[in-house]
Amino acid sequence: MLRSRPRPMLKTPKSAFRRFIFRIVTRPAFDYTILAMILLNVALLGTSTVFRPNIQAFIVVALGYFFSGVFILEALLKIIALGPKQYFRDGWNTFDFIIVLGSLPGLVPELRDVRAGSVLRIFRIARLFRIVRSAKGLRRLFETLLFSLPSLANIGGLLLLVFVVFAILGVNFFWNVKHGDMVTDYANFQTFGVAMLTLFRMTTGEDWNGIMHDCMRGQCRV
């Protein structure tokens, strides 16, 4: 928290045209409108299916172009009003601009039905994260998560150490357990690497009790 800095005040442009656009993009109503467009766009993506009538497919594609046009217009208006330097100074604006650029190739009809176009359309789903910027409670949680990342790295290192210790113990005690229902070629304690993967699988709750019962039987391989 001590490394957080206050947000700089936005400078009002001197040009009358830019000042007019500046008053538009800095109004709360503008942010609420964009937020509503984001929610509608996500709802539209949720209704997309592989098998749908032609009229429904046409409506979905048309609305997709409309929402993309709205977000492109939003980025252009903010760049004009704030200027490139002031616009990209804000990390959220940079994030929005990257999403807009990433969604542009998905608008090309030739790319819409190929795998590359499907991957690029993932950028449209990423617009949902822009809700974090508008909702103060979500933004506080997100910023708290970012500030706690160094501590999470320390916790991850501690968990890795625990995994290493128990993997070594597993190799020493259960290396010769006979394969059963759960102890197989892909889940065993014969080598350190496979033991690490087996422990990770068990921490997710995937058949950990089955592996435990196979190890408790204590039947050694011949």
Side-chain angles (χ1 to χ4, degrees), residues 124-140:
R124 299 190 335 193
I125 304 176
R127 290 171 183 157
L128 183 62
F129 291 101
R130 296 182 56 185
I131 299 178
V132 177
R133 179 181 185 178
S134 302
K136 293 183 179 179
L138 289 177
R139 188 170 67 240
R140 292 195 194 98

Side-chain angles (χ1 to χ4, degrees), residues 167 171 184-201:
V171 171
T184 63
D185 292 335
Y186 306 102
N188 55 66
F189 295 95
Q190 296 176 17
T191 61
F192 176 78
V194 178
M196 289 285 290
L197 294 176
T198 303
L199 288 176
F200 178 77
R201 168 183 165 180

Side-chain angles (χ1 to χ4, degrees), residues 16-207:
F17 175 71
R18 291 183 58 197
R19 190 163 55 247
F20 171 74
I21 300 178
F22 179 85
R23 287 195 295 265
I24 294 177
V25 299
T26 54
R27 288 181 178 179
F30 182 83
D31 292 332
Y32 292 144
T33 302
I34 297 299
L35 178 60
M37 292 295 173
I38 294 173
L39 295 176
L40 291 175
N41 183 37
V42 173
L44 176 66
L45 294 176
T47 59
S48 300
T49 57
V50 177
F51 303 101
R52 56 194 175 193
N54 293 333
I55 182 63
Q56 182 182 356
F58 174 78
I59 294 175
V60 169
V61 172
L63 290 177
Y65 280 116
F66 169 75
F67 287 123
S68 297
V70 169
F71 298 131
I72 293 173
L73 180 63
E74 176 208 5
L76 291 178
L77 289 177
K78 286 188 175 181
I79 292 176
I80 294 174
L82 304 177
K85 184 178 180 180
Q86 191 171 207
Y87 175 82
F88 289 106
R89 185 186 304 169
D90 189 348
W92 285 108
N93 288 336
T94 305
F95 176 73
D96 296 344
F97 190 77
I98 292 175
I99 292 177
V100 170
L101 288 182
S103 61
L104 289 179
L107 301 177
V108 180
E110 289 75 10
L111 295 177
R112 190 180 301 120
D113 298 327
V114 298
R115 181 173 299 180
S118 300
V119 174
L120 291 171
R121 284 199 296 271
I122 296 177
F123 282 93
R124 299 190 335 193
I125 304 176
R127 290 171 183 157
L128 183 62
F129 291 101
R130 296 182 56 185
I131 299 178
V132 177
R133 179 181 185 178
S134 302
K136 293 183 179 179
L138 289 177
R139 188 170 67 240
R140 292 195 194 98
L141 291 176
F142 183 74
E143 291 174 351
T144 302
L145 177 62
L146 292 181
F147 287 130
S148 62
L149 285 180
S151 300
L152 293 178
N154 296 331
I155 296 175
L158 177 61
L159 291 177
L160 179 62
L161 178 62
V162 172
F163 270 62
V164 170
V165 171
F166 279 93
I168 295 174
L169 291 176
V171 171
N172 281 272
F173 288 115
F174 305 114
W175 67 272
N176 60 346
V177 170
K178 186 178 180 180
H179 289 187
D181 296 332
M182 299 303 169
V183 176
T184 63
D185 292 335
Y186 306 102
N188 55 66
F189 295 95
Q190 296 176 17
T191 61
F192 176 78
V194 178
M196 289 285 290
L197 294 176
T198 303
L199 288 176
F200 178 77
R201 168 183 165 180
M202 294 174 68
T203 56
T204 64
E206 178 66 24
D207 292 327

